[in-house]
Structures are given as structure tokens and as C-alpha cells.
């Protein structure tokens, strides 16, 4: 039936798509977005008084402090404002480390560094805050190290120029190196696990030939940490309570929302139960259609030729009965009267009755012989 074939095609398509999704989920799905970093510095002047008390005018009791805040939000593509529809992600989750270097001449070598490094027990935060006393502008350098997932590496300049990659993941770099080897036919035709280095690879790896299994180990010496993001900022300290905001845009990689949707689709039991319920309904509908089709064909055959239909039906029933009772003979011939008017039939009937009479006579003689023996 068309419905059954369509249902089989639908099941095959759904299974193929499910397998495709599972294969896609094994690979990292990343999309590039713009992260806007807001750097806010606020100046406070404390005059050593409490609320409701007279304010002192002595300059020695006044103290000026400044506060530096570093925060950030993801921007929607094509927009210049933060995206409110995207699930909020903590600002610190984008970075592996943050170092703020203040002016060494103003704060000395011991307190001019503010560092934050990620650890397994790190609690994510929406921003970072630094507060220091001072009434003069302060130069600071903000060093941000992105937390790439999966981990990325900066290549040695020589290998980077050869492969055309500055920073990439380990699988990306290995794949690019393998493509270079195939393109330049550097694989040994006899020893397939050997690579014959050309002049460029010799200068990088320092050998004439190497094995495939040695490539990951040799690449480890050529991997470096990616370049950090460095922001030069000037903390402007002005009299009174003032606030200034600057922003910087950087490119970050985040998990594609489509991956989360596909993963939730595979893990959703509600969808699977719904599919199973629909499959059950399809099977019941097909059975009902088959039963109605059989009944319709039966009625149409009877309505079109009642005599022929009854004869065929009786023949079918007779064959079924022969099969069930394990009987021999031709049911079609036995239905016709000509079979019983043939000459051999009379002889057969006589032989049949004669055999029956002889059988009955033997039974009687046996009974009488038993009785006579009993009487003697």
C-alpha cells in the first residue's frame, strides 16, 4: 500500500536524520559572536563624615579613591546593543585568566598587579572590580586570556606560515598538516607509516623522516598559548564623584544554539513517546484499512456475480476442509453429477458393499464361535 511505503520511508528518514544529528553532536559546533567589554571607572571623594553630620573642609581629611569595573555582554549579530533574548552567561566564563597591571611608580612593585585565574572550583562572576586610593590619572594594562573550548594553540611561526594557520585546535592543525603531506606526496610509497620531510618540514622538525605516530609528540613542542587580549586603559580621576564608561568589542566562540536544540531533541523522552504513540496509531489504522478492504472486495465480488461467487466460495471451503481433514480426491470432480454415472462407479459400489458385508459376517461368526465355546 502507498500508506505503508510512505510510513517506511518516513521511519527511514527519521532514523537517518537522528544518526546524522548524533554524528554532528560529536563534533564541536561553534559560532562566532561579539562580546562587548565595558570598562567603567568611578571616582569617590570621602570627607570623613557621616550622614547628617557637618562636613569637614580640611583637605587632609579628604581622601579620593577610584573604582575600576570590567563587565561584558554578548551582542546580537548585526546589532550594537546587548542581546536580551540570549541566555545570560557569566562574564568570567569567557576567560581563563585576567591580569590588571597598574602603574608601578604609583602603587609599587607589590600591589600593582591584580590577578584572577580559573580553577576547578572557580565561581563564575558577572565582572571584576578593583578599588584603589589616588587622586591622579592611572595607566593600567588589562590582560585577558580567552578560555577556548576545545583548547586552541598558537603555532610556531614557521609551521604557521607553512600551513596558513595562526591559532587553531589540535585536530585542525593535524588535519592541515596531513593535507600538506598528501598534497606534496611526502608519504613513503613502501613504508606507509613513514613521512619523508621536505626542506620546510626538516627545518621545523629537525629530521629527514618521521613516523605518523611521532607527529603528535613533535607538535607539542611547536604549540604555544594563544595571544592574550591586551587593553590599555587610563583611569581618569577627577574632583568630585564622576563616572566614565568605555567599551571594547572582541570576537569569541560560543556553542551554537542549534547544537543545544538537537541535543534536547535526542534526549527528550516526550518526543520519543509521541513518536511511539503515532506509530501505534498508524499500525491500528493500517489493520483497519486492510479489514475494510477485504470486506469491500468480498461484497463487490458477490454483487457482481452471485452464482460464480458462491461456486468459487464453495470450492474454496471444500479445499480447506480437505486440507484440515487430510482427505484425498478432487473436490471439483466430486461436486459434478457425471462422476456418479460412470460404469466403474457401479462396480466400485458393489465391491464396497461386498467388503462391508464380509466384514460384518466375520464379526458375527466370531461372536457366535465365542458363545458356542462358552456353552460347552
Amino acid at each position: 500500500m502507498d500508506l505503508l511505503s510512505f510510513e517506511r520511508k518516513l521511519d527511514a528518514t527519521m532514523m537517518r536524520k537522528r544518526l546524522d544529528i548524533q554524528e554532528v553532536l560529536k563534533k564541536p559546533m561553534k559560532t562566532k559572536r561579539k562580546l562587548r567589554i565595558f570598562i567603567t571607572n568611578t571616582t569617590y571623594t570621602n570627607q570623613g563624615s557621616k550622614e547628617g553630620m557637618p562636613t569637614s573642609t580640611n583637605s587632609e581629611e579628604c581622601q579620593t579613591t577610584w573604582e575600576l569595573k570590567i563587565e561584558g555582554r554578548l551582542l546580537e549579530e548585526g546589532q550594537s546593543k546587548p542581546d536580551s533574548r540570549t541566555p545570560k552567561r557569566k562574564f568570567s566564563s569567557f576567560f581563563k585568566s585576567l591580569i590588571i597591571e597598574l602603574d608601578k611608580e604609583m602603587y609599587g612593585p607589590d600591589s600593582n598587579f591584580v590577578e584572577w585565574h580559573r580553577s576547578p572550583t572557580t565561581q563564575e562572576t558577572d565582572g571584576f572590580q578593583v578599588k584603589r586610593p589616588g587622586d591622579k590619572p592611572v595607566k593600567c594594562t588589562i590582560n585577558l586570556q580567552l578560555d577556548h573550548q576545545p583548547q586552541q594553540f598558537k603555532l610556531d611561526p614557521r609551521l604557521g606560515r607553512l600551513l596558513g594557520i595562526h591559532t587553531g585546535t589540535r585536530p585542525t592543525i593535524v588535519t592541515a598538516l596531513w593535507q600538506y603531506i598528501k598534497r606534496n606526496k611526502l608519504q613513503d610509497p613502501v613504508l606507509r607509516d613513514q613521512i619523508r620531510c621536505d626542506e620546510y618540514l626538516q627545518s621545523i622538525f629537525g629530521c629527514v623522516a618521521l613516523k605518523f605516530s611521532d607527529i603528535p609528540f613533535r607538535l607539542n613542542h611547536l604549540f604555544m598559548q594563544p595571544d592574550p587580549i591586551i587593553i590599555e586603559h587610563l583611569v581618569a580621576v577627577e574632583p568630585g564623584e564622576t563616572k566614565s564608561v568605555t567599551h571594547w568589542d572582541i570576537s569569541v566562540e560560543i556553542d551554537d544554539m542549534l547544537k543545544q536544540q538537537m541535543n534536547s531533541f535526542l534526549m527528550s523522552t516526550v518526543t520519543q513517546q509521541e513518536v511511539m504513540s503515532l506509530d501505534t496509531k498508524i499500525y491500528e489504522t493500517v489493520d483497519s484499512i486492510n479489514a475494510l478492504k477485504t470486506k469491500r472486495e468480498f461484497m463487490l465480488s458477490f454483487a457482481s456475480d452471485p452464482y460464480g461467487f458462491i461456486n468459487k466460495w464453495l470450492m474454496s471451503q471444500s479445499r480447506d476442509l480437505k486440507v484440515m481433514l487430510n482427505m484425498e480426491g478432487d473436490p471439483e470432480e466430486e461436486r459434478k453429477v457425471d462422476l456418479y454415472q460412470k460404469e466403474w462407479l457401479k462396480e466400485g459400489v458393489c465391491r464396497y458393499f461386498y467388503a462391508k458385508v464380509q466384514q460384518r459376517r466375520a464379526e458375527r461368526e466370531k461372536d457366535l464361535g465365542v458363545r458356542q465355546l462358552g456353552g460347552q
Side-chain angles (χ1 to χ4, degrees):
M1 294 178 61
D2 293 339
L3 184 60
L4 287 175
S5 61
F6 176 76
E7 194 262 344
R8 285 193 293 268
K9 290 181 180 179
L10 181 61
D11 286 343
T13 302
M14 292 180 62
M15 181 58 66
R16 187 175 67 254
K17 290 299 182 182
R18 185 178 292 273
L19 294 175
D20 291 343
I21 291 175
Q22 291 176 354
E23 289 297 324
V24 169
L25 291 177
K26 294 179 182 178
K27 304 176 182 178
M29 294 178 59
K30 299 291 184 178
T31 180
K32 286 193 174 183
R33 296 283 296 277
K34 187 179 293 185
L35 177 66
R36 175 157 294 179
I37 299 177
F38 297 93
I39 302 177
T40 306
N41 61 272
T42 308
T43 305
Y44 302 97
T45 302
N46 299 325
Q47 297 182 349
S49 63
K50 297 183 180 179
E51 185 178 357
M53 299 294 292
T55 303
S56 174
T57 57
N58 190 349
S59 60
E60 295 180 355
E61 298 180 4
C62 298
Q63 184 180 11
T64 303
T65 60
W66 55 264
E67 182 182 71
L68 180 68
K69 288 184 179 181
I70 304 175
E71 301 169 310
R73 298 288 187 276
L74 282 175
L75 300 182
E76 181 65 20
E77 295 181 1
Q79 297 183 5
S80 58
K81 295 183 179 180
D83 182 18
S84 59
R85 297 175 298 176
T86 304
K88 189 175 180 181
R89 180 176 169 182
K90 297 289 187 179
F91 177 69
S92 62
S93 64
F94 293 99
F95 303 100
K96 186 185 298 183
S97 65
L98 179 142
I99 300 175
I100 301 176
E101 182 182 359
L102 303 177
D103 193 340
K104 184 177 180 180
E105 297 179 357
M106 296 181 63
Y107 295 97
D110 297 330
S111 60
N112 68 320
F113 279 97
V114 179
E115 299 185 22
W116 173 86
H117 299 278
R118 177 175 299 282
S119 65
T121 59
T122 298
Q123 296 291 332
E124 304 296 350
T125 179
D126 286 326
F128 302 92
Q129 180 177 339
V130 177
K131 193 172 184 179
R132 290 286 189 276
D135 55 358
K136 296 180 180 179
V138 181
K139 294 181 180 180
C140 65
T141 302
I142 303 172
N143 188 315
L144 297 168
Q145 187 72 49
L146 288 174
D147 185 19
H148 297 285
Q149 295 295 337
Q151 188 176 7
Q152 293 190 6
F153 303 93
K154 178 184 175 182
L155 275 180
D156 182 274
R158 298 170 298 169
L159 184 60
R161 287 192 299 268
L162 186 66
L163 302 181
I165 297 177
H166 181 269
T167 305
T169 61
R170 184 183 294 271
T172 302
I173 296 171
V174 173
T175 302
L177 180 58
W178 169 239
Q179 294 296 331
Y180 175 83
I181 293 172
K182 287 201 304 182
R183 185 171 57 252
N184 293 277
K185 299 179 181 180
L186 301 180
Q187 188 177 12
D188 194 296
V190 180
L191 302 175
R192 305 297 291 177
D193 63 337
Q194 294 281 344
I195 301 299
R196 297 176 301 181
C197 298
D198 58 6
E199 56 179 338
Y200 302 108
L201 293 181
Q202 289 181 22
S203 63
I204 295 172
F205 294 116
C207 59
V208 179
L210 72 158
K211 293 184 178 181
F212 269 111
S213 57
D214 295 338
I215 290 179
F217 174 74
R218 292 183 177 272
L219 284 177
N220 288 334
H221 303 286
L222 303 173
F223 287 163
M224 297 177 288
Q225 288 294 330
D227 293 333
I229 299 171
I230 298 178
I231 300 176
E232 300 288 345
H233 182 70
L234 178 65
V235 180
V237 180
E238 299 178 359
E241 185 171 341
T242 58
K243 182 177 182 181
S244 62
V245 181
T246 58
H247 68 266
W248 302 76
D249 292 339
I250 63 174
S251 179
V252 295
E253 290 184 347
I254 62 173
D255 291 333
D256 197 340
M257 294 297 295
L258 182 60
K259 182 177 181 179
Q260 300 178 7
Q261 296 175 2
M262 291 191 296
N263 193 23
S264 62
F265 170 76
L266 291 179
M267 300 300 294
S268 175
T269 58
V270 177
T271 305
Q272 296 178 2
Q273 292 176 357
E274 184 179 357
V275 171
M276 293 176 62
S277 175
L278 292 175
D279 285 340
T280 303
K281 290 182 179 180
I282 290 174
Y283 296 145
E284 293 176 352
T285 303
V286 170
D287 291 340
S288 177
I289 290 174
N290 288 331
L292 293 174
K293 180 184 177 183
T294 303
K295 186 181 294 185
R296 179 177 180 273
E297 291 176 352
F298 182 87
M299 295 299 180
L300 287 177
S301 300
F302 179 75
S304 60
D305 186 11
Y307 175 79
F309 177 80
I310 293 296
N311 287 333
K312 291 180 181 179
W313 187 65
L314 290 175
M315 291 170 58
S316 175
Q317 295 295 317
S318 178
R319 285 194 299 268
D320 293 341
L321 183 61
K322 290 282 187 182
V323 172
M324 293 171 60
L325 299 178
N326 197 18
M327 298 172 62
E328 298 179 356
D330 189 357
E332 179 61 22
E333 293 293 332
E334 293 174 0
R335 289 178 60 252
K336 298 179 180 180
V337 68
D338 296 339
L339 176 66
Y340 302 98
Q341 294 178 355
K342 294 182 178 180
E343 294 296 333
W344 61 266
L345 185 61
K346 294 179 181 181
E347 182 180 354
V349 171
C350 292
R351 288 178 178 274
Y352 174 78
F353 281 111
Y354 179 77
K356 286 292 185 182
V357 170
Q358 292 298 325
Q359 181 183 358
R360 190 66 176 171
R361 181 178 178 179
E363 292 175 358
R364 291 295 182 183
E365 289 178 352
K366 185 177 179 180
D367 293 340
L368 290 173
V370 172
R371 291 175 183 177
Q372 290 176 0
L373 291 174
Q376 294 177 0

